[in-house]
């Protein structure tokens, strides 16, 4: 049974002292995360912005993850735990968005949280400050760079600093909004919570959100500062994507048809929420869908005309190579 449809907000959520603004709702997806979950929770407690609530979804863990979350709530921290759909991380985050809406939290600022990262102390404050300068009724998404670390949290390098501004024409073919750094303003939260009921299957929640916010004409703010320590270890489902090995992996994904399958899924999800997109971006979406069926000359011409692009020269070369072979 979907737990988010059958309980009221607990005292730790409902009886907090009034504040000047809406509390941040932190969506935490959990699955067998006992090794690093406590460190992540500790970094949330240490945030310089203290007005937050955690909504966690456990996706069928068979370790001590649930016990760790229960102890966190028993210590007086505002947390609601729901049962996940057990269909993978993307479905779990969509489930969390639907639960946030069902609990009346869909118009709060929403931060996304991975179970094995550690947040810099000012992660929330920095994001909220940046979003405060945007129009309140327009969707806006804040994201940042990360410190890529090993399993012991020893820093290795920084995530990429992207060359081009965020745009729907980039989002269709690439994700630059790392999910573990995402923070939405209330208008963006309302947008994605509503679309979560429509989306169906998605590839990755962060890619879908990047597409949806830019597609709706919203703003994406990418901070140059690294505000999250992102662990890379053997159990990461998705790792840092800026290494030579990762590029070779993507080439293999292209040739196997993985990327074409992902684009099929993304297009279907966006079409289900097409009424939420800016009219100009609906045209771009349909143009991208159409070009994938065209013959070679028409395909390449349409790709250029629509302005679809990746962030780096190497990525752009790979995109055109994929278009050449019909792998998009």
């Amino acid at each position: 049974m979907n737990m988010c449809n059958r309980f009221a907000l607990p005292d730790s959520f409902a009886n907090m002292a009034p504040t000047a603004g809406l509390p941040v709702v932190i969506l935490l997806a959990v699955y067998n995360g006992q090794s690093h979950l406590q460190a992540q929770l500790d970094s949330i407690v240490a945030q310089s912005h203290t007005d937050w609530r955690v909504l966690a979804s456990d996706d069928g863990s068979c370790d001590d993850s649930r016990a760790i979350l229960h102890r966190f709530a028993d210590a007086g921290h505002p947390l609601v735990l729901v049962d996940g759909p057990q269909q993978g991380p993307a479905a779990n985050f969509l489930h969390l968005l639907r639960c946030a809406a069902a609990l009346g939290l869909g118009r709060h600022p929403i931060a996304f949280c991975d179970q094995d990262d550690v947040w810099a102390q000012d992660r929330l404050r920095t994001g909220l400050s940046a979003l405060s300068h945007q129009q309140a009724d327009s969707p806006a998404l804040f994201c940042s760079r990360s410190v890529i670390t090993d399993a012991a949290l020893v820093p290795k390098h920084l995530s990429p600093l992207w060359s081009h501004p965020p745009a729907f024409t980039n989002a269709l073919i690439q994700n630059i909004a790392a999910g573990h750094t995402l923070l939405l303003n209330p208008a963006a939260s309302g947008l994605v919570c509503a679309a979560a009921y429509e989306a169906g299957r998605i590839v990755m929640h962060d890619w879908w959100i990047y597409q949806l916010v830019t597609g709706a004409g919203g703003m994406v703010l990418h901070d140059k500062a690294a505000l999250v320590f992102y662990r890379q270890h053997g159990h990461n489902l998705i790792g840092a994507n800026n290494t030579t090995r990762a590029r070779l992996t993507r080439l293999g994904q292209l040739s196997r048809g993985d990327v074409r399958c992902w684009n099929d899924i993304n297009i279907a999800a966006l079409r289900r929420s097409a009424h939420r997109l800016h009219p100009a971006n609906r045209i771009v979406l349909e143009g991208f869908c159409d070009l994938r069926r065209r013959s070679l000359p028409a395909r390449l011409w349409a790709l250029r005309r629509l302005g679809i692009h990746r962030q780096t020269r190497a990525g752009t070369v790979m995109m055109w190579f994929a278009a050449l072979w019909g792998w998009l």
Side-chain angles (χ1 to χ4, degrees):
M1 181 179 290
N2 186 345
M3 278 188 64
C4 68
N5 290 330
R6 62 182 181 90
F7 63 73
L9 288 176
D11 290 345
S12 59
F13 261 53
N15 296 335
M16 301 295 288
T19 58
L22 293 172
V24 178
V25 177
I26 298 170
L27 302 185
L28 171 59
V30 176
Y31 177 69
N32 287 345
Q34 67 176 15
S35 297
H36 306 299
L37 179 57
Q38 188 60 56
Q40 174 64 290
L41 294 172
D42 290 343
S43 74
I44 292 173
V45 173
Q47 288 296 293
S48 56
H49 179 85
T50 59
D51 194 10
W52 48 262
R53 318 286 187 266
V54 176
L55 178 57
S57 178
D58 179 68
D59 217 24
S61 295
C62 54
D63 64 359
D64 285 338
S65 293
R66 293 182 75 93
I68 292 169
L69 293 168
H70 283 303
R71 288 195 295 270
F72 185 79
D74 291 343
H77 302 302
L79 179 141
V80 164
L81 175 60
V82 300
D83 292 325
Q86 300 188 37
Q87 298 171 6
N92 202 13
F93 274 112
L94 277 185
H95 174 68
L96 279 164
L97 287 167
R98 292 190 289 265
C99 284
L103 292 169
L105 304 170
R107 282 283 181 173
H108 286 239
I110 288 179
F112 292 80
C113 183
D114 286 357
Q115 65 186 9
D116 46 10
D117 297 337
V118 169
W119 289 3
Q121 189 173 23
D122 286 333
R123 187 224 157 164
L124 291 180
R125 184 184 296 277
T126 301
L128 290 169
S129 176
L131 290 172
S132 70
H133 299 293
Q134 305 302 309
Q135 291 184 342
D137 60 350
S138 179
L141 177 160
F142 174 87
C143 55
S144 74
R145 300 175 79 186
S146 305
V147 180
I148 311 301
T149 78
D150 64 14
L153 222 63
V154 176
K156 298 166 64 177
H157 55 83
L158 294 178
S159 62
L161 183 60
W162 301 113
S163 304
H164 303 290
F168 186 62
T169 47
N170 174 233
L172 279 175
I173 203 73
Q174 179 183 19
N175 179 39
I176 66 168
H180 56 282
T181 72
L182 293 187
L183 177 63
L184 308 179
N185 75 346
S189 297
L191 170 69
V192 300
C193 283
Y197 287 97
E198 305 160 347
R201 184 185 175 196
I202 61 173
V203 179
M204 294 181 290
H205 70 286
D206 48 1
W207 195 1
W208 171 75
I209 291 169
Y210 178 38
Q211 292 176 336
L212 194 62
V213 171
T214 55
M219 178 66 67
V220 174
L221 309 172
H222 191 277
D223 201 301
K224 296 179 181 179
L227 299 173
V228 175
F229 293 88
Y230 176 81
R231 293 184 204 262
Q232 279 208 291
H233 51 76
H235 301 292
N236 280 117
L237 288 168
I238 299 172
N241 62 1
N242 62 328
T243 64
T244 300
R245 181 178 179 181
R247 295 186 184 103
L248 291 173
T249 298
R250 282 199 296 276
L251 183 59
Q253 291 167 340
L254 282 166
S255 64
R256 289 195 306 268
D258 294 354
V259 172
R260 187 170 182 83
C261 178
W262 296 341
N263 286 334
D264 287 341
I265 294 168
N266 286 339
I267 288 168
L270 287 170
R271 278 178 157 175
R272 294 186 191 103
S273 299
H275 59 289
R276 305 186 188 280
L277 305 182
H278 188 280
N281 287 329
R282 287 201 294 269
I283 294 173
V284 171
L285 174 63
E286 291 307 314
F288 179 60
C289 181
D290 180 65
L291 76 82
R292 300 168 70 237
R293 299 191 295 263
R294 294 292 188 93
S295 62
L296 177 59
R299 187 163 66 239
L300 298 180
W301 179 82
L303 191 65
R304 182 177 181 85
R305 177 179 59 84
L306 291 170
I308 294 171
H309 63 280
R310 290 181 66 90
Q311 289 285 331
T312 66
R313 184 174 300 175
T316 299
V317 169
M318 190 174 295
M319 179 192 74
W320 283 98
F321 183 77
L324 180 68
W325 288 96
W327 292 344
L328 291 179

